[in-house]
Amino acid sequence: MSKGYPQNYHLPAEFETQEAIWLSWPSNKESCPKTYLKLQDKFGEIAANLTRYQRVRINAPEMMHMSIRLSIADNEGALNMVDLYNHNTNDVWCRDHGPIFIKHNETGEVAITDWNFNAWGGKFPYDLDNTIPEKAAEVLKMQRFTSDFTLEGGAIETNGKGLLLTTEAVLLNPNRNGGKARTKAEMEKELKGMLGVNDIVWFKAGIEGDDTDGHVDDIVRFVREDAVICMVETKENDPNFKVLKQIREQLDDVRTADGGKLEIIEIEMPNAIEAKDWRLSRLPASYANFMLLNNAVMVPIFGQKKKDAIAEDKIAECFPGREIISVTAKDLVMEGGALHCIAMHQPK
């Protein structure tokens, strides 16, 4: 473990070459009592797909390893691509509790940043989840830099060239810091010091129904260093209309390191998915919550034929040469997230 800020490292973009994808397998029935078995099937389907492109590293209690292998393996080759670690978790959201990887500017060496994780302001148990970056650093024999600040991977988005997008509703929320909000200046200093970013763009808030208080990975995602996908809402009476309109307008003023403007690819939000008798009356469904792989993109779809198809086509255009894998994500969003939320990419 290293005290102090990493020197000469940066936060790489997700569209750059990856070494592996990390998942935290559904292993705690209490965190998802209604969808527990469905989620395990869904993770089996997703992991089997992932093994076609790169290594899959899975946090799960040892007693589950055999059943996980069975749920992934339709062929021997698939299992050769899977590393199982005896790491217990409270929940499945590896994007948020997993290690945030940084890369050395000269040697390309990858290291881990380990932030405080408190389940989006203490909404759920998190004692086991908060140990995952340290355990990952141990098994990967990587250098680990720690921060006392609270940060989740889904709260930040980068182009790999020093530009970072985030939301005030998350990073400046008093619930992330024991009831006392961090100032923007404090947060910027920590993000720049830990992740080697230069410019931070702050959006006000996120989408409706989001347990996380408004993660950016449901709204804006980089597809190249100078291009983003941005979710938009056309129905003026929808609670997401104003928030997304403001973000879309803000993006016009964002500049890359060389002063250029961003290309902005708009994708319309799925129609609202309501849940009866559930803690989320509206589910945080968004096409921006796709998962990037080396030669593929896993796209969440929501059983809305026309909107799903348009989103798939637009995302495919952003990533020529990458296969599009569509995954029905209703069971995942019932629990509060989609494909990007369950996976943390490890850069090569």
Side-chain angles (χ1 to χ4, degrees), residues 29-213:
K29 198 170 182 178
E30 283 169 28
S31 74
C32 49
K34 287 190 178 175
T35 54
Y36 185 59
L37 294 174
K38 276 186 184 169
L39 276 190
Q40 291 192 334
D41 290 345
K42 184 55 72 181
F43 268 65
E45 171 201 330
I46 289 167
N49 262 318
L50 292 176
T51 60
R52 294 164 44 210
Y53 302 95
Q54 62 208 67
R55 294 207 75 73
V56 185
R57 301 199 153 130
I58 297 171
N59 302 308
E62 192 140 16
M63 63 179 204
M64 293 188 73
H65 289 190
M66 185 52 81
S67 65
I68 290 171
R69 284 195 171 89
L70 291 171
S71 71
I72 294 174
D74 38 6
N75 61 64
E76 199 48 44
L79 284 182
N80 293 335
M81 298 298 283
V82 177
D83 302 317
L84 284 156
Y85 300 108
N86 183 21
H87 296 165
N88 290 351
T89 58
N90 304 95
D91 215 333
V92 299
W93 310 114
C94 196
R95 172 66 47 183
D96 290 349
H97 63 235
I100 297 176
F101 294 94
I102 51 175
K103 200 167 180 174
H104 196 275
N105 297 337
E106 283 147 23
T107 64
E109 182 204 351
V110 176
I112 281 173
T113 64
D114 180 358
W115 304 71
N116 181 50
F117 174 75
N118 73 354
W120 317 283
K123 295 185 177 80
F124 308 97
Y126 55 85
D127 55 324
L128 299 169
D129 288 347
N130 198 26
T131 66
I132 293 300
E134 184 176 356
K135 288 176 173 167
E138 235 166 80
V139 296
L140 296 173
K141 298 180 171 54
M142 274 185 187
Q143 200 171 354
R144 177 172 68 101
F145 298 91
T146 61
S147 172
D148 298 333
F149 283 59
T150 299
L151 181 69
E152 305 103 28
I156 54 173
E157 176 70 15
T158 185
N159 69 346
K161 293 281 188 277
L163 183 56
L164 186 95
L165 314 177
T166 191
T167 59
E168 292 177 15
V170 175
L171 265 57
L172 305 184
N173 197 318
N175 69 7
R176 295 309 201 271
N177 188 40
K180 183 181 176 292
R182 301 271 187 193
T183 66
K184 197 178 267 190
E186 287 173 325
M187 206 66 223
E188 289 211 351
K189 179 175 184 277
E190 195 71 4
L191 290 167
K192 289 175 177 177
M194 289 291 288
L195 302 175
V197 294
N198 310 315
D199 296 303
I200 299 171
V201 175
W202 293 89
F203 303 127
K204 275 274 180 282
I207 63 170
E208 197 72 13
D210 184 356
D211 275 328
T212 72
D213 305 309

